[in-house]
Amino acid sequence: KLCKCNLSTTLRKYEDTLEIRAYSRPFIKFLEEKFGWKPGNKIRNQTTIPKWCFKKKEYLSHVLRGYFDTDGYLEIRDNSPIVRIRFSNKCKKLIEDMSNALKLINIKFSLQWDKIGAELRVYSRKEVLKFFKIIGSSNVRNISSFISWRYKKGKNAKELETISLPFLWKESNSPFKDKIKEDNMLLR
């Protein structure tokens, strides 16, 4: 209704996602004019986080969640206390914007550049917990990894089914209240 788009949908059961594609030149023009988003390759176009997103931390947390869910992952090493969030991207401006967004939200990270791009890493248990409390995830793989890390052996499937998206590590997630309270003590 917004732009009289031709829509196509694809259900990807193996990824637990619904892909929606909109075909409309007026819609693309609207996105370019209103938000500055360019169609096509985000690296070639040097995609950025729109400036208006920096007006509210809430907007930034939504944008960062989107990038984490698509270009990032939670790294957990077996038999090791190491846990970190990693983003990789070849788009210099986008990495710079993500760095600025994380600074504004007050999440500590490291940034490493190489010849082809950059990797942004959120280290330490405390910062990963803070990330999941403020930004969260809507990616089932990242959520599952996070819960498995927090419970070492994971929770049973029935409790995982009660999760609503986006998933944030807050006390309202009732099946996990015990661990959330424990983690909140660390974040104080």
Side-chain angles (χ1 to χ4, degrees):
K1 289 183 178 182
L2 174 67
C3 62
K4 298 180 183 175
C5 297
N6 294 322
L7 294 177
S8 74
T9 59
T10 305
L11 179 62
R12 295 181 180 179
K13 291 181 181 180
Y14 62 93
E15 291 179 353
D16 196 28
T17 60
L18 176 65
E19 179 181 300
I20 301 172
R21 292 183 182 216
Y23 301 94
S24 169
R25 286 194 174 115
F27 183 60
I28 297 301
K29 190 174 181 177
F30 166 78
L31 290 175
E32 285 182 274
E33 291 172 0
K34 183 79 173 167
F35 302 108
W37 292 338
K38 296 177 185 174
N41 186 297
K42 66 183 172 190
I43 298 160
R44 250 190 314 246
N45 291 332
Q46 287 297 295
T47 298
T48 62
I49 295 176
K51 294 194 185 325
W52 59 268
C53 291
F54 285 90
K55 292 180 181 177
K56 284 188 169 183
K57 288 181 181 181
E58 179 184 4
Y59 299 157
L60 287 176
S61 69
H62 293 297
V63 170
L64 288 169
R65 181 183 312 126
Y67 282 115
F68 172 57
D69 288 345
T70 57
D71 293 347
Y73 64 96
L74 182 66
E75 178 185 22
I76 302 164
R77 297 188 180 180
D78 290 336
N79 301 318
S80 170
I82 295 173
V83 61
R84 61 183 151 213
I85 292 170
R86 298 174 81 153
F87 294 93
S88 296
N89 205 290
K90 295 178 184 177
C91 182
K92 181 180 180 183
K93 183 63 179 145
L94 180 58
I95 289 288
E96 289 170 353
D97 282 355
M98 290 173 66
S99 298
N100 291 331
L102 286 169
K103 286 176 190 172
L104 286 169
I105 293 175
N106 199 26
I107 293 177
K108 295 175 185 155
F109 62 93
S110 70
L111 187 57
Q112 184 174 354
W113 294 93
D114 61 26
K115 292 177 184 175
I116 59 169
E119 185 172 79
L120 194 149
R121 298 177 188 136
V122 176
Y123 281 103
S124 89
R125 176 181 173 197
K126 183 176 179 178
E127 296 304 310
V128 169
L129 290 170
K130 193 187 309 181
F131 184 95
F132 267 86
K133 186 173 184 174
I134 297 168
I135 296 167
S137 180
S138 293
N139 180 305
V140 174
R141 182 194 71 222
N142 290 332
I143 295 166
S144 176
S145 294
F146 178 80
I147 292 169
S148 293
W149 168 63
R150 290 309 303 126
Y151 283 89
K152 305 296 184 237
K153 295 181 182 173
K155 293 292 267 182
N156 68 41
K158 194 170 199 135
E159 288 167 317
L160 294 177
E161 289 172 8
T162 66
I163 293 173
S164 61
L165 298 178
F167 174 76
L168 298 170
W169 193 240
K170 292 187 175 181
E171 288 187 40
S172 61
N173 292 338
S174 60
F176 310 107
K177 278 187 179 179
D178 57 332
K179 280 286 184 191
I180 293 170
K181 285 181 183 177
E182 178 185 318
D183 290 342
N184 282 339
M185 297 301 290
L186 176 70
L187 294 174
R188 289 188 182 158

